Amino acid sequence: MGHFKINPADIFFILKEQLNYGQLCQLERYKDLDEKTLDLMLAEAITFAKGVVDPLNDIGETSPPLFENGKVTCPVEFKAAFRQYGEDGWTAASRDPAYGGQGFPHMMRIVVNDFMYAACQAFNMAPSLTHGAAHLIESVACDALKKKFVPPMYDGTWAGTMCLTEADAGSNLAELTTTAISMDDGEDNRFKISGTKVFISWGEHDLTDNIIHLVLARIEGAPQGVGGISLFVVPKFRVNPDGSIGEFNNVVCSSIESKLGLHASPTATLNFGASGDCIGYLCGEKNKGLSHMFQMMNAARINTGVSGMSLAGTAYRNALAHTCQRVQGKDVAGRKKGSVPIIDHPDVRRNLLWMKAMVDGMRSMIYMGALREDLAHELPDGADRQHHMDLLDFLTPIIKAYCSDMGFRVCETAIQCLGGYGYCEDYPLEQYLRDAKIMSLYEGTNGIQSMDLMGRKMMLRNGAPFKAFKHEVARFCEAHREHPELGDRVRALDGVGKRMWESAEYMAQKRESDPLQWASYTYPALTAFGEITMAWLLLDMAITAYPKTEKRGKKYDFYRGKVLQATFFVDTTLPHTMATIETCYRPGREIVIMQENAF
C-alpha cells in the first residue's frame, strides 16, 4: 500500500481561485488550450503519481540500486516506470512539440513535479534531471545536437544529468579542473573530455541504454575562473549518425555514495576519459558554459524547493490521518468521555495547524513563481513582462532555501504527531525526513542562497528584483488593509514589510562597508523574507476564501480553514519575523571575531 497523500482541493484552490491559472490560456503560445484541459491533465498526473510512482518509494528503500564493476543495477520497476513516464508525456509536458513535448505551460511541469516528488522523491529526480538536461540542449545547442539528443531524452529512451561538482570545486565552480581538448578532426565542436565529477545524481544506472551528461569543463587555453568554463554534451555511449547507440564513450562510474536518504537514487562519482577517449560536443558558446548552465541550475533550485514542499505535504497528510485514527488520552476539558483521538489534544492540533499553513503557503509561493515564469517568457516585451521576471529572480533563492528548510521542519513535526511510531520504519515519515534533508544542501547550500538574495539580487538591474517584490507586497497591503475580517493582519504584514525594506537597504550598505558582518546575517534576512512571503500569500488565500466562509454547511469548512491558517500564521510568526529583522541591525561581531580554537 502506498503512502502518498494529497488533497486535490488544496491544489485546485490555489491554481483556480487564488492564481486563476486559466489566464495562461490567453497567451499566444497556449491559445489552443483551455482551463478544463489543464484541470484534466493534472487529475491524470495525480492518478499516475499514485498508481505508478508511489509504489516505487517502498521498493527503492527495500531494494536499493546495486553497484558492481562500475555499473549500477536498479529495481526493474524503476526502469519500467521511467520509460512509461516519458512515453506518457510527463517528462516533456511543458516542452516544444517539435521535439516531442506536450506544449503545456511551464507552470504545469512544476505542479506535476509536486505530485511526483511527493510520491517518490528518489525516482522523480531521474526524469526531472533528464528534462532539465534536454531542455538546456534544446535552448542553447546547435540544431544537429538538438535533433540527435533531445527527442530520445524527452520520450524516456535516454536519461540525462548535470555534472558540475568536483572534489575540490564544490560550490566554487571557478576552481574546476575538468578539461576539454579540441579534436580538430573535421567534425565541428568535438572535444576530448578529461576529469572527475562527484555527487552526480543518477549519474550511473540501467534505467535507459544511454545517459547524456551535461559537463562543465575548461577548454585548453581558456581563461581561469568562471569566464573560461564551457558546456559539453557527453553521452555515456557514442551516438551513430543514424541515432543508434555506438561504442562506449569512456564515462566510468568508480563509486556511488552511501547516504542518509534517497537510497533509491544512485549518487555517482564519474571519471571522464580515464580509460580512453571521451568525446564531448560543445553546447552553446565557448566560455559561456556557466551562464548556459544557470538555466538548468535555476530550474533545479526551484525544484529543490518543490521537493521540500511536496515531501512536507505528504508528511502532513500522513500525520493528519494518523491523528484522526489514533485513540489515546482523555480530553483535557472533559468534553468527551473515555479516550479520544489524539487530534482532540491542543498541542497536536497546534502542530497540525502549523504544518497545514506551512504546506499551503509554500505551495502557493511555488505555484505563484511558476505562473510568473510563464508570464515572464510569454508576454510581449514590455514593463509587465520585465516585472514578472524581476519578481521571479527575487523569489528563486527564497523558494529554494525557505521551502527546503521548512519542508524538513514539517517532516520533523509530522513525526512528532505520531509519537514513537513516527520514528519507526513502519510509517513513511522517517524516510520523508531523511530524503528531505538533502534539499537544503542541493544546488548551493541555503547559506549561499541567502548571500545571493541579499547580494546579487539586491543589486541586479539596479535593484529591480527587490523593487518588484516590495511592490507586490505593498500593493496587496494597500488593497486589503481595511478588509472587514483580515484588515488588522494585513496591516501587521505591512508594518513588518516596511521594516524589512529598511533592513534590506541597510544590509545593502553594510555589504559594501563591512562584508563580513553583512554575510553573518544574510540567512536571517532570507528567513524573514520567506516569512513575509508566506504571510502575504496565506492572507491572499484567506481573502479569496472569505466570502464563502459566511455560508453554512460543512462543505464550507474548507474555506474557513484557509482563513484560520492565515490568522494563526500571521499572529504567531510575524512577531518572530520582526525580531529576526532586528538581529540584522545588531552591532555585535561575535561571528566574525571568534577565534577558530575557541569554537
Side-chain angles (χ1 to χ4, degrees), residues 29-333:
R29 182 174 179 179
Y30 309 126
K31 64 182 181 180
D32 293 331
L33 298 170
D34 56 36
E35 187 171 324
K36 184 177 180 180
T37 302
L38 304 186
D39 295 347
L40 290 172
M41 184 266 210
L42 293 180
E44 284 298 314
I46 293 174
T47 300
F48 185 88
K50 288 183 175 180
V52 177
V53 182
D54 186 23
L56 303 177
N57 216 38
D58 278 342
I59 294 170
E61 278 292 294
T62 56
S63 302
L66 298 176
F67 175 72
E68 189 175 11
N69 298 323
K71 297 182 178 180
V72 172
T73 304
C74 299
V76 294
E77 295 89 347
F78 274 58
K79 186 171 185 176
F82 186 89
R83 189 58 191 269
Q84 185 179 351
Y85 197 109
E87 289 177 345
D88 288 1
W90 301 118
T91 304
S94 298
R95 298 279 65 89
D96 191 337
Y99 292 99
Q102 301 297 305
F104 282 100
H106 160 81
M107 184 182 193
M108 303 297 279
R109 183 181 64 83
I110 296 296
V111 181
V112 167
N113 269 346
D114 179 1
F115 311 151
M116 305 301 181
Y117 280 131
C120 185
Q121 169 69 35
F123 167 78
N124 196 58
M125 290 168 62
S128 185
L129 284 164
T130 299
H131 162 269
H135 182 42
L136 185 52
I137 296 170
E138 181 187 348
S139 299
V140 303
C142 64
D143 287 343
L145 292 181
K146 294 178 186 180
K147 293 175 182 177
K148 179 179 288 189
F149 292 107
V150 174
M153 295 173 75
Y154 279 162
D155 70 14
T157 302
W158 296 344
T161 75
M162 56 190 294
C163 298
L164 288 73
T165 306
E166 299 179 6
D168 296 320
S171 299
N172 184 15
L173 294 173
E175 301 298 322
L176 67 79
T177 60
T178 300
T179 60
I181 300 175
S182 177
M183 295 180 67
D184 290 328
D185 59 356
E187 292 193 39
D188 291 340
N189 295 325
R190 293 211 315 171
F191 290 77
K192 292 181 181 180
I193 308 298
S194 178
T196 299
K197 299 290 185 177
V198 300
F199 296 147
I200 308 305
S201 298
W202 285 99
E204 165 59 23
H205 58 79
D206 63 347
L207 301 187
T208 58
D209 293 333
N210 208 357
I211 305 172
I212 312 305
H213 304 288
L214 286 185
V215 180
L216 289 182
R218 197 181 308 278
I219 296 175
E220 189 177 38
Q224 294 299 305
V226 296
I229 297 173
S230 298
L231 179 66
F232 299 88
V233 178
V234 184
K236 178 181 176 180
F237 290 93
R238 296 170 192 171
V239 181
N240 296 319
D242 64 358
S244 62
I245 293 178
E247 61 184 305
F248 182 57
N249 197 29
N250 293 297
V251 181
V252 177
C253 177
S254 59
S255 65
I256 62 173
E257 304 294 338
S258 298
K259 310 189 297 292
L260 173 70
L262 297 179
H263 293 158
S265 169
T267 303
T269 296
L270 298 179
N271 298 310
F272 296 87
S275 57
D277 288 348
C278 175
I279 298 174
Y281 303 87
L282 182 66
C283 186
E285 298 181 46
K286 291 182 180 179
N287 303 330
K288 298 291 186 182
L290 193 57
S291 61
H292 292 331
M293 185 63 89
F294 260 111
Q295 171 185 300
M296 190 171 180
M297 290 167 65
N298 278 331
R301 287 169 179 168
I302 290 172
N303 271 315
T304 300
V306 175
S307 296
M309 176 273 292
S310 61
L311 288 169
T314 189
Y316 160 62
R317 284 280 153 190
N318 273 273
L320 176 62
H322 181 85
T323 60
C324 291
Q325 297 164 5
R326 173 69 170 161
V327 176
Q328 188 177 40
K330 307 295 183 183
D331 185 90
V332 69

